[in-house]
Amino acid sequence: MELKLSFKDYNEALKQNKLLGLRCKQCNAITVPPKIACGGCASTDMDIVQLSGKGSIQTFTTVFVPPEGREPEAPYIIVLVELDEGPWLMGNLVGVDPNKVTMEIVGKRVMMGHAVFPGDKYSAGEEARPVFSLEA
Amino acid sequence: MRKVAVVGVGMTKFSGKQDKTAVELFAEAAVDAINESGLKPANIQALFLGNALGDFAEGQAQLQAFVADYIGAPFIPANRYENACASSSAAFRDAFMWVASGFYDIVLVGGAETAAKMGTPLATRTFAMASDSRYEYPCGITFPGVFALLAHLYARKYNVPLEKLKYQMALVSVNSHYYGARNPKAQFQKEITVDDVLSSFMVCQPLQLYDCCPFSDGGSAVVLACEEKARKLTDKPVYVAGVGQASAGNLMSQKDYLPRLRSRELSAEQAYRMAGLTPKDIDVIELHDCFSIATLIALECLGFFEYGKSGEAVEKGETKVGGKIAVNPSGGLKSKGHPIGATGTAQVYEIVRQLRGECGERQVDGAKIGMTDTLGGDGGTLCNIILKRGW
Ligand SMILES: [Zn+2]
């Protein structure tokens, strides 16, 4: 069957700061990042919905030893955010000093923007990712 | 299903960057395992080989075919298993099932990796390929990054002050190095202190260098035989009592469980049920301590300690040889090394030798039942194997 929401379409929307997910017509669960089947009940009967991109930080790390090709970005913060709609989303956190971030950041409210990883020789082209900042 | 036994084991010394290829490293381990079993290469009916990153480390795909030919068992069916850091444990489980089913009587299983050869930037990049390339890697996630996220989550979920957790994590590494210093096959044969851990450089906050296993080169191999053949080959067959395997999607899709790894809970449950055993019956475990926090999470998911309590158990010495459960007497991934494709069957190597009573200074007295635990990626693959003395 045809994908309801492909990586390509999710990625294109993310580049417009729009976070797309899937709402299950059977169990109402939200699946993001997209899958062909609902993360809650495995139904494929889902509709595309736009999510708020807002939520709270659940955990974080600062990466000091980056992979090959990502050296200019380091050190950088990675967070797992619980979206207001329920799912967790991985992204970066900006506007906070990566050398000084502590457990105090956990629970803080954030909003989503994006940045684009241009890709490297191993990846299949450019890929956007969520970039969060603290809510004013 | 038939009973299946380990009748021979071999492993190379694990090390940093060295000159041999993955095929050569596996071959050294395989010849030792075959010789120990008293068999000849011509007796091997099939090869199950774990290797995760040969394509990137050496430009070598399909090395299982070259391995079979190189060790003098040309033309046998040979398969490669890529399950990230759990590759050779997944290979072991399948090898076990082919023999248990009656299809083969004698097979060779193992793994090899030359990850240290890649150097830190490329190794960090290729290890990150075991995370979700679409929805995680763009953020710059790394393998230590995954466990760093879990460490902060653990501190918060179980209300362990980060400083206390860091101390408990440091003790895990100190223990690993204590035993590694007593294992001639270990990459690091040197004891370290809590201060050494806490003063090492930061890799991914809160994980410092000595919270992390190294990149390693090495090979390991095991010969499996059906019970009938095993009884003729050895007085000390080590039987495969239980196996388990499970998978999981990216970290986001595991949100209902983290910092628990559900794939580990399910895999361990399968292995315990198949063996008819509980965590209390296990005398010694080789578990996947890729990072110090990973040990604490594993001990809880495997049922040895309550959730959030394994750090206190480590402080009380309950994970040492002679404690409640002897953990990683080989030195574990942290000190013995982690050539990822070889890690699972190297854990089997240690448990088999522990059950045979061959481990000298680091021997777990009277060990009768041992277990392995191997993790790939963000919990993407989890394998458990329970081994039992056959005498
Ligand atoms: Zn559903």
Side-chain angles (χ1 to χ4, degrees):
Chain A
M1 66 171 279
E2 188 83 11
L3 294 176
K4 185 75 80 166
L5 179 57
S6 67
F7 169 75
K8 181 171 181 291
D9 293 345
Y10 172 87
N11 196 46
E12 288 305 317
L14 197 51
K15 286 199 270 182
Q16 314 294 320
N17 285 337
K18 276 190 222 161
L19 180 63
L20 298 185
L22 295 158
R23 181 188 296 280
C24 179
K25 289 200 241 175
Q26 302 302 318
C27 79
N28 224 28
I30 303 277
T31 297
V32 66
K35 303 181 197 183
I36 199 167
C38 168
C41 75
S43 167
T44 53
D45 190 13
M46 298 185 288
D47 283 331
I48 295 174
V49 287
Q50 186 174 338
L51 306 175
S52 66
K54 291 183 176 173
S56 63
I57 295 172
Q58 301 301 305
T59 185
F60 74 99
T61 182
T62 299
V63 175
F64 290 95
V65 180
E68 180 190 272
R70 308 293 293 260
E71 293 85 353
E73 298 170 55
Y76 51 87
I77 303 172
I78 298 176
V79 288
L80 281 170
V81 168
E82 182 167 279
L83 299 170
D84 290 345
E85 295 88 351
W88 284 22
L89 199 60
M90 186 181 286
N92 296 115
L93 179 70
V94 295
V96 173
D97 184 346
N99 291 295
K100 292 186 181 154
V101 63
T102 68
M103 288 285 282
E104 303 279 302
I105 202 83
V106 173
K108 291 275 195 309
R109 298 275 311 161
V110 289
M111 48 196 275
M112 194 199 79
H114 81 280
V116 175
F117 167 54
D120 60 16
K121 63 187 167 186
Y122 310 110
S123 65
E126 64 170 29
E127 298 159 328
R129 82 274 196 174
V131 174
F132 294 96
S133 49
L134 297 179
E135 262 183 12
Chain B
M1 285 211 307
R2 303 190 296 178
K3 280 177 79 175
V4 177
V6 175
V7 294
V9 293
M11 73 176 274
T12 65
K13 183 183 180 298
F14 284 0
S15 72
K17 183 175 184 286
Q18 47 76 59
D19 295 330
K20 291 167 190 160
T21 66
V23 168
E24 291 172 328
L25 288 170
F26 178 76
E28 289 190 346
V31 168
D32 285 347
I34 294 169
N35 286 344
E36 196 184 77
S37 71
L39 293 161
K40 300 280 180 230
N43 301 122
I44 305 296
Q45 295 174 288
L47 168 67
F48 301 78
L49 183 75
N51 174 257
L53 299 171
D55 317 56
F56 303 96
E58 302 181 0
Q60 182 66 71
Q62 211 198 189
L63 64 173
Q64 68 276 23
F66 301 100
V67 159
D69 183 66
Y70 190 81
I71 64 168
F75 306 116
I76 61 170
N79 287 312
R80 170 180 170 186
Y81 286 76
E82 191 282 289
N83 292 76
C85 308
S87 294
S88 57
S89 289
F92 183 101
R93 178 170 171 274
D94 275 16
F96 158 77
M97 288 191 284
W98 280 93
V99 178
S101 74
F103 198 93
Y104 296 126
D105 288 340
I106 293 165
V107 301
L108 178 64
V109 53
E113 207 73 54
T114 49
K117 207 181 256 181
M118 285 191 271
T120 297
L122 179 58
T124 303
R125 174 68 183 96
T126 55
F127 276 49
M129 291 178 185
S131 288
D132 190 329
S133 68
R134 294 280 90 93
Y135 301 114
E136 294 180 315
Y137 187 69
C139 307
I141 195 68
T142 63
F143 192 32
V146 168
F147 279 86
L149 290 168
L150 295 183
H152 284 143
L153 209 51
Y154 186 102
R156 181 186 180 217
K157 178 156 182 186
Y158 301 122
N159 285 314
V160 184
L162 189 61
E163 209 171 319
K164 185 177 174 195
L165 181 61
K166 291 266 299 170
Y167 173 72
Q168 294 168 339
M169 287 159 51
L171 282 178
V172 168
S173 295
V174 169
N175 286 349
S176 304
H177 275 257
Y178 177 86
Y179 294 118
R182 286 151 181 80
N183 182 355
K185 302 261 189 188
Q187 181 168 349
F188 300 126
Q189 297 175 33
K190 131 185 160 211
E191 292 186 33
I192 58 168
T193 65
V194 167
D195 279 349
D196 290 334
V197 181
L198 296 177
S199 61
S200 61
F201 73 83
M202 193 62 83
V203 175
C204 285
Q205 192 187 351
L207 303 182
Q208 296 177 247
L209 181 65
Y210 283 170
D211 287 301
C212 306
C213 68
F215 294 117
S216 313
D217 292 0
S220 61
V222 174
V223 178
L224 290 177
C226 62
E227 183 178 20
E228 186 195 340
K229 301 271 185 202
R231 285 190 186 284
K232 290 177 189 153
L233 290 167
T234 175
D235 296 336
K236 291 187 170 179
V238 171
Y239 287 104
V240 182
V243 293
Q245 182 174 339
S247 65
N250 59 36
L251 275 183
M252 295 166 270
S253 68
Q254 300 178 52
K255 72 161 185 106
D256 290 343
Y257 303 98
L258 300 178
R260 291 161 48 203
L261 294 173
R262 187 62 180 149
S263 53
R264 175 176 275 126
E265 295 171 344
L266 294 170
S267 167
E269 203 177 294
Q270 291 168 32
Y272 288 132
R273 196 188 319 124
M274 181 175 163
L277 297 170
T278 71
K280 288 190 179 61
D281 300 312
I282 309 296
D283 299 312
V284 51
I285 184 159
E286 285 285 318
L287 61 73
H288 202 89
D289 60 328
C290 46
F291 302 97
S292 54
I293 184 68
T295 294
L296 301 185
I297 292 170
L299 285 168
E300 295 164 13
C301 294
L302 293 168
F304 293 110
F305 302 103
E306 279 174 48
Y307 292 105
K309 299 290 184 200
S310 59
E312 288 170 18
V314 170
E315 286 191 65
K316 288 181 199 150
E318 291 180 359
T319 60
K320 290 183 177 171
V321 171
K324 185 178 169 194
I325 173 74
V327 176
N328 293 353
S330 71
L333 281 55
K334 170 70 194 83
S335 175
K336 182 179 61 182
H338 185 28
I340 57 177
T343 285
T345 39
Q347 293 174 319
V348 170
Y349 172 95
E350 176 73 10
I351 294 295
V352 166
R353 298 198 60 223
Q354 285 285 347
L355 299 183
R356 292 192 200 140
E358 298 170 351
C359 290
E361 267 192 283
R362 62 181 202 283
Q363 178 65 42
V364 179
D365 273 345
K368 290 190 174 64
I369 298 172
M371 184 170 182
T372 70
D373 167 86
T374 332
L375 167 148
D378 314 3
T381 300
L382 223 309
C383 292
N384 294 104
I385 301 164
I386 299 177
L387 299 163
K388 212 172 170 177
R389 270 196 206 176
W391 64 97

